[in-house]
Amino acid sequence: MKKTNGGAARWWSEDKGFYMILLLCVLAVAVAAYVLFVSPQTEQTDPLDGYMYEAEDSVTASEPIDHVPAMDSTPQTDTEQVDETAEEEPAAETSGEVQEPAEEEAEQTTAALTFTIPIERDVTRAYSGDTLEYDETTRDWRTHDAADYGGEQGDAVCAIADGTVTLVGDDTIYGKYVVLSHAQGMNSLYAGLDEISVKEGDSVSGGKQIAVLGDPMPLEAEQGVHLHLAVTKDGEPVDPAGLF
């Protein structure tokens, strides 16, 4: 029995250094485990904390950023002033009432515009509108956006209403022609003329002579001498017969 105890003592003394090292390792592991899993974690502080504005109507990166409250430096008093201005809309209604006399004046101008027959002759070819007609000169079917008045060379041609001469010309389609502009967006073209007595820029009165009949306009040569009268309103053809 003593021998056994002596052997154990000798074994312990020989391996004491090993167990001391093992014990230190176990303690180191225990301390590391305590630090990682048991001790309270220290929260890292964002260096920008305290400078960020957290708005009540915040937005995310996936949403369109039309208005960011944190960047809105407009004083509340300015907003109130804008609201007060918005409430003063009745003033705009007042300005609209001021414009009424101008509208009445425009109506008076419309009523004052009267039309006069351009030549004391009968209509030989009427306005066709959307209806196709056979044309003896061009030998095809087409619409006729004018009224043609028969006559003889030298017959007086007059303006159908007060207006301004905008064009005076001579070409292979209309021959010698005159274009007048009138109120209400209306224009009138007179073709197949000769001895034109007005020039561009002249103001003329309804019924005033502007030319005489001459050779027929080339595009309607087979019809013989005649006045070709075309009228438009806002760029759209109008039947001249409805004006007189």
Side-chain angles (χ1 to χ4, degrees):
M1 191 68 178
K2 292 180 180 179
K3 183 177 179 180
T4 302
N5 290 338
R10 187 172 51 256
W11 171 79
W12 166 255
S13 61
E14 291 176 355
D15 297 330
K16 182 172 58 177
F18 169 77
Y19 285 105
M20 289 296 291
I21 294 173
L22 180 61
L23 179 60
L24 291 175
C25 291
V26 172
L27 289 175
V29 172
V31 171
Y34 175 80
V35 171
L36 292 175
F37 301 103
V38 179
S39 64
Q41 296 293 321
T42 301
E43 295 182 356
Q44 295 183 352
T45 302
D46 190 336
L48 293 179
D49 284 348
Y51 295 93
M52 300 298 292
Y53 182 94
E54 185 174 350
E56 293 179 358
D57 53 341
S58 59
V59 295
T60 63
S62 61
E63 298 173 345
I65 304 178
D66 296 329
H67 172 70
V68 182
M71 299 297 291
D72 189 358
S73 59
T74 304
Q76 184 64 27
T77 54
D78 290 349
T79 304
E80 293 174 355
Q81 291 176 0
V82 172
D83 294 339
E84 292 175 0
T85 303
E87 293 176 356
E88 295 178 359
E89 291 181 354
E93 297 178 357
T94 303
S95 62
E97 295 176 356
V98 175
Q99 296 176 357
E100 289 182 358
E103 295 178 357
E104 294 178 356
E105 182 179 349
E107 293 177 358
Q108 294 174 358
T109 302
T110 300
L113 185 61
T114 57
F115 296 92
T116 303
I117 295 176
I119 187 171
E120 295 294 334
R121 295 287 183 173
D122 294 333
V123 174
T124 55
R125 185 180 179 185
Y127 175 91
S128 70
D130 296 331
T131 303
L132 296 176
E133 297 180 346
Y134 184 75
D135 190 287
E136 294 289 345
T137 304
T138 59
R139 298 183 180 183
D140 60 7
W141 292 83
R142 60 179 59 205
T143 59
H144 186 242
D145 296 335
D148 293 341
Y149 295 82
E152 298 179 357
Q153 290 184 345
D155 286 348
V157 176
C158 302
I160 63 171
D162 297 348
T164 302
V165 180
T166 55
L167 284 175
V168 175
D170 185 356
D171 62 26
T172 57
I173 295 177
Y174 295 108
K176 294 180 180 181
Y177 67 89
V178 172
V179 176
L180 303 181
S181 65
H182 310 281
Q184 308 169 40
M186 301 191 72
N187 292 276
S188 56
L189 177 145
Y190 312 76
L193 307 179
D194 195 10
E195 299 180 10
I196 296 173
S197 56
V198 294
K199 62 183 182 301
E200 294 180 9
D202 286 351
S203 295
V204 298
S205 301
K208 178 183 177 180
Q209 181 174 333
I210 58 175
V212 299
L213 282 183
D215 294 331
M217 59 179 285
L219 192 63
E220 297 177 347
E222 292 299 320
Q223 294 178 223
V225 176
H226 68 280
L227 169 65
H228 177 91
L229 173 66
V231 179
T232 61
K233 178 176 176 59
D234 298 328
E236 296 297 326
V238 174
D239 184 0
L243 302 177
F244 314 119

